[in-house]
C-alpha cells in the first residue's frame, strides 16, 4: 500500500467522515503511522563513521552546488491551487484540538526517541543523520503544508499545525528540527504562491517517497540585516531574470537541489525558484555558533539566469511579506520548544542536585529562577499560538508575529542563559545539553528564512 493510499478512508489508517473534513485530519493520519509501525525500533542511530560532504567546523569549502535532479516542466502559467483557510468558530480559544494533540504526541515521540539521542553527535558533525531525516520523511513532515489537491495531506491551510510540529521537534533538538523542516518550507511556499506550472513541476517530488533537499534562503551576511532591504538583486533580462548576491544561513546548502531565493526586484523583495544545477551557483561553509546540525552554508549567486517562470508569488511583495512572517512564526515555535527542553532539564537537575544536605531547589534564588523560566515560556507559547491561529484562519497576523518574535528573541535567550546558570559548572560543559540549547536559542533573533509554517 502506498503512503498516500494508506491515508484514505476505509483503509487501516483511514479517516472517519469527521476527520476527513478536519483541516489536519490527513496530517494526523500520516504521523500516526509512526506509532503503529516499528520505525523507531527499526531505525538505528548508528555512529557515523563517514563524514558528510563537508564539516563546517574543521574544513571550509566553496564548491558548485549539488547537481540535483531534473524537474520536468509541467502545468500552465496560471494561478495554482491554494489551500483554503480554516473556518473560525468566533470564540477566542487557543486550546489545540484533539487531532492537533494527537499530532503533537506522535511528533514529540519522534523528537524524544530519535532527535534527542542524535543531537550531540549531529552538533559535532555539523550534519543531520540520514536516519533522522528518513524518519521525518516517512511520517510525512515535508508535506504538512501541501494541500491534498496537490498530493499533500492537508485539506485546509493550517499554520497552527505547522507551529505545533516545529515546537514539538525543537524539544528534541533545534538544529535537527530545522534540518527536517527545511524541505517542507519550500513545499509550503510553492503551495501557497506557486503557479499551476510551478506546483505541477515541483510539488510531486515533495509528496513522493524521495523528497528533495530544499532551502528557503532569505538571510544575508550583513550587519543589521534587514529582510525588507535585500542586497541580493534580480534584474530583468529578456524574458527572464539575472540574480546576483550572497545568501547566508542556508540550511543543508551543500546538499540542496532546489532553492527559494529572496532578491530585490525593482525596489521590491521577491522570491525566485532556483534549481541547484543552475550555472553561477556556489555554496560555501558558513560555520555558526548554534544550529550546527542544520549544516548552514552560504549561497553565492553570480550572474544566475532564470526564466520568467522562476518568479514565485508575483512582484507586488505581498507573498514575500507573508513568507517572512510565516518564517518568523516558525522560529518562535522553535524557541518555545527549545525553551521547554531547558525547563524540563533544569527542573530535574535542581531537584536532584544536593548541596548542604538538601536539593538546591530549596533555595529561593534557584526556585524563583526556575519559576521565571516557566512564566516567560508560557508567555512565549501563548503569543506564538495566537499568531499561528490567526494565520490559519486567513486573518491579519503581522502584529502578533512581531510581538511573538520580540518576546521569543529576548526571553528565549534569557531562558538559555538561566538554564546554563542553574547548572553551575555543569552548564559550561557538553555533558549536559543546555549549553547547546543556549547557543541555538540565540539564533532566533537573527535567522530569517530556512523554515516556515
Amino acid at each position: 500500500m502506498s503512503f498516500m493510499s494508506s491515508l484514505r478512508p476505509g483503509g487501516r489508517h483511514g479517516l472517519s467522515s469527521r476527520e476527513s473534513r478536519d483541516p489536519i485530519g490527513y496530517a494526523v493520519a500520516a504521523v500516526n503511522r509512526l506509532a503503529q509501525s516499528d520505525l523507531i525500533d527499526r531505525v538505528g542511530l548508528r555512529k557515523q563513521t563517514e563524514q558528510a560532504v563537508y564539516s563546517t567546523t574543521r574544513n571550509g569549502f566553496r564548491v558548485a552546488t549539488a547537481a540535483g535532479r531534473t524537474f520536468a516542466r509541467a502545468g500552465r502559467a496560471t494561478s495554482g491551487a491554494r489551500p483554503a483557510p480554516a473556518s473560525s468558530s468566533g470564540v477566542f480559544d487557543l486550546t489545540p484540538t484533539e487531532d492537533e494533540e494527537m499530532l503533537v504526541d506522535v511528533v514529540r515521540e519522534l523528537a524524544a526517541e530519535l532527535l534527542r539521542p542524535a543531537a550531540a553527535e549531529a552538533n559535532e558533525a555539523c550534519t543531520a543523520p540520514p536516519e533522522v531525516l528518513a524518519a521525518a520523511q516517512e511520517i510525512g513532515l515535508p508535506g504538512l503544508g501541501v494541500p491534498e489537491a496537490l498530493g499533500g495531506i492537508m485539506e485546509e491551510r493550517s499554520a497552527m499545525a505547522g507551529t505545533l510540529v516545529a515546537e514539538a521537534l525543537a524539544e528534541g533538538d533545534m538544529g535537527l528540527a530545522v534540518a527536517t523542516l527545511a524541505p517542507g518550507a519550500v513545499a509550503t511556499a510553492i503551495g501557497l504562491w506557486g503557479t499551476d506550472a510551478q506546483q505541477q513541476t515541483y510539488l510531486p517530488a515533495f509528496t513522493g517517497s524521495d523528497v528533495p533537499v530544499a532551502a528557503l534562503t532569505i538571510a544575508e551576511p550583513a550587519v543589521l540585516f534587514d529582510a525588507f532591504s535585500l542586497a541580493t538583486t534580480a534584474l530583468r533580462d529578456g524574458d527572464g531574470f539575472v540574480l546576483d548576491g550572497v545568501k547566508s544561513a542556508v540550511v543543508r546548502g551543500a546538499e540542496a537541489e532546489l532553492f527559494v531565493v529572496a532578491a530585490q526586484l525593482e525596489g521590491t523583495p521577491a522570491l525566485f525558484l532556483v534549481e541547484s544545477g543552475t550555472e553561477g551557483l556556489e555554496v560555501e561553509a558558513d560555520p555558526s555558533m548554534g544550529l550546527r546540525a542544520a549544516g548552514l552554508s552560504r549561497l553565492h549567486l553570480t550572474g544566475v539566469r532564470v526564466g520568467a517562470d522562476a518568479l514565485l508569488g508575483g512582484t507586488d511583495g505581498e507573498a514575500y511579506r507573508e513568507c517572512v512572517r510565516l518564517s518568523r512564526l516558525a522560529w518562535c515555535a522553535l524557541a518555545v520548544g527549545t525553551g521547554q527542553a531547558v525547563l524540563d532539564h533544569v527542573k530535574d537537575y535542581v531537584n536532584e542536585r544536593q548541596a548542604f544536605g538538601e536539593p538546591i531547589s530549596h533555595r529561593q534564588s534557584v526556585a524563583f529562577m526556575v519559576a521565571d523560566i516557566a512564566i516567560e515560556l508560557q508567555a512565549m507559547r501563548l503569543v506564538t499560538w495566537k499568531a499561528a491561529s490567526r494565520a490559519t484562519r486567513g486573518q491579519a497576523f503581522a502584529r502578533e508575529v512581531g510581538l511573538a518574535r520580540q518576546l521569543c528573541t529576548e526571553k528565549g535567550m534569557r531562558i538559555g542563559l538561566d538554564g546554563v546558570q542553574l547548572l553551575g559548572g555543569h552548564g559550561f560543559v557538553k555533558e549536559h545539553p543546555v549549553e547547546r540549547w543556549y547557543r541555538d536559542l540565540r539564533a532566533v533573533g537573527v535567522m530569517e528564512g530556512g523554515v516556515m509554517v
Side-chain angles (χ1 to χ4, degrees):
M1 180 181 293
S2 69
F3 175 73
M4 288 308 302
S5 64
S6 70
L7 305 184
R8 303 306 181 197
R12 178 182 176 186
H13 306 293
L15 305 175
S16 66
S17 58
R18 182 187 66 81
E19 287 175 316
S20 67
R21 292 190 298 269
D22 191 276
I24 67 166
Y26 284 116
V28 171
V31 295
N32 262 340
R33 295 180 71 249
L34 176 65
Q36 298 180 18
S37 73
D38 61 351
L39 176 65
I40 290 177
D41 297 327
R42 180 160 44 84
V43 175
L45 289 173
R46 61 176 173 79
K47 180 176 177 62
Q48 292 175 289
T49 58
E50 294 183 351
Q51 197 70 310
V53 180
Y54 60 94
S55 171
T56 59
T57 55
R58 298 180 179 86
N59 303 300
F61 71 91
R62 181 169 175 177
V63 297
T65 52
R69 71 190 72 192
T70 300
F71 295 92
R73 296 296 185 267
R76 300 165 296 171
T78 57
S79 296
R82 301 288 183 259
S87 58
S88 173
S89 64
V91 177
F92 180 75
D93 184 6
L94 297 180
T95 304
T97 66
E98 180 181 347
D99 284 340
E100 287 170 342
E101 289 178 350
M102 292 169 58
L103 172 67
V104 172
D105 287 343
V106 177
V107 176
R108 187 173 287 127
E109 181 180 359
L110 174 70
E113 298 292 336
L114 290 182
L115 270 66
R116 182 68 67 84
E121 188 173 334
N123 176 77
E124 291 300 317
C126 292
T127 187
E131 295 87 352
V132 172
L133 300 173
Q137 178 177 319
E138 183 166 338
I139 64 173
L141 292 187
L144 277 178
V146 181
E148 183 198 3
L150 298 173
I153 57 178
M154 304 297 292
E155 285 191 340
E156 297 177 349
R157 171 80 177 121
S158 184
M160 190 69 194
T163 297
L164 293 171
V165 166
E167 179 182 331
L169 285 173
E171 288 187 39
D173 181 70
M174 186 188 288
L176 288 176
V178 171
T180 59
L181 292 173
V186 172
T188 299
I190 297 172
L192 286 174
W193 308 301
T195 64
D196 177 69
Q198 290 167 339
Q199 292 178 346
Q200 296 298 328
T201 297
Y202 296 107
L203 286 184
F206 288 93
T207 56
S209 59
D210 183 20
V211 176
V213 180
L216 170 63
T217 66
I218 294 178
E220 296 176 346
V223 177
L224 300 177
F225 169 69
D226 181 358
F228 295 96
S229 181
L230 302 173
T232 302
T233 60
L235 301 177
R236 293 188 183 274
D237 181 53
D239 59 351
F241 305 92
V242 176
L243 307 180
D244 287 280
V246 181
K247 312 304 290 188
S248 63
V250 181
V251 180
R252 299 171 64 193
E255 311 163 59
E257 299 172 83
L258 180 66
F259 301 94
V260 172
V261 177
Q264 202 81 3
L265 174 63
E266 298 172 348
T268 303
L271 300 171
F272 296 87
L273 290 164
V274 183
E275 296 179 19
S276 61
T278 306
E279 186 177 354
L281 289 179
E282 285 186 323
V283 63
E284 178 186 13
D286 194 16
S288 57
M289 176 181 178
L291 302 176
R292 292 156 62 88
L296 301 183
S297 308
R298 289 188 183 184
L299 181 67
H300 295 259
L301 302 98
T302 306
V304 175
R305 294 181 178 272
V306 295
D309 59 351
L311 181 64
L312 179 65
T315 60
D316 60 359
E318 182 55 39
Y320 178 80
R321 287 190 289 272
E322 185 175 3
C323 177
V324 171
R325 293 169 192 150
L326 292 173
S327 174
R328 290 175 174 176
L329 180 56
W331 284 105
C332 290
L334 292 169
V336 173
T338 305
Q340 185 66 57
V342 172
L343 177 61
D344 293 341
H345 190 86
V346 300
K347 279 196 303 184
D348 291 339
Y349 182 88
V350 300
N351 284 325
E352 296 170 1
R353 181 71 172 174
Q354 297 280 328
F356 305 105
E358 62 181 354
I360 62 173
S361 59
H362 290 184
R363 300 289 185 268
Q364 280 192 342
S365 60
V366 172
F368 287 173
M369 188 177 291
V370 175
D372 285 343
I373 291 176
I375 293 168
E376 291 162 354
L377 178 64
Q378 188 65 358
M380 290 163 55
R381 177 175 286 116
L382 289 175
V383 293
T384 299
W385 284 11
K386 182 178 181 181
S389 178
R390 292 184 63 85
T392 296
R393 298 195 303 270
Q395 299 174 335
F397 64 103
R399 176 180 179 273
E400 286 73 18
V401 166
L403 293 172
R405 189 169 191 251
Q406 175 65 27
L407 191 63
C408 290
T409 296
E410 179 182 346
K411 300 303 182 182
M413 285 194 294
R414 187 70 200 181
I415 286 173
L417 179 62
D418 286 350
V420 170
Q421 183 71 19
L422 283 165
L423 266 65
H426 286 162
F428 189 70
V429 299
K430 294 184 182 296
E431 176 186 354
H432 293 268
V434 180
E435 61 85 24
R436 185 178 69 249
W437 294 336
Y438 169 61
R439 290 187 282 109
D440 290 343
L441 283 165
R442 294 191 67 88
V444 176
V446 297
M447 290 294 290
E448 298 279 10
V451 290
M452 193 176 79
V453 295

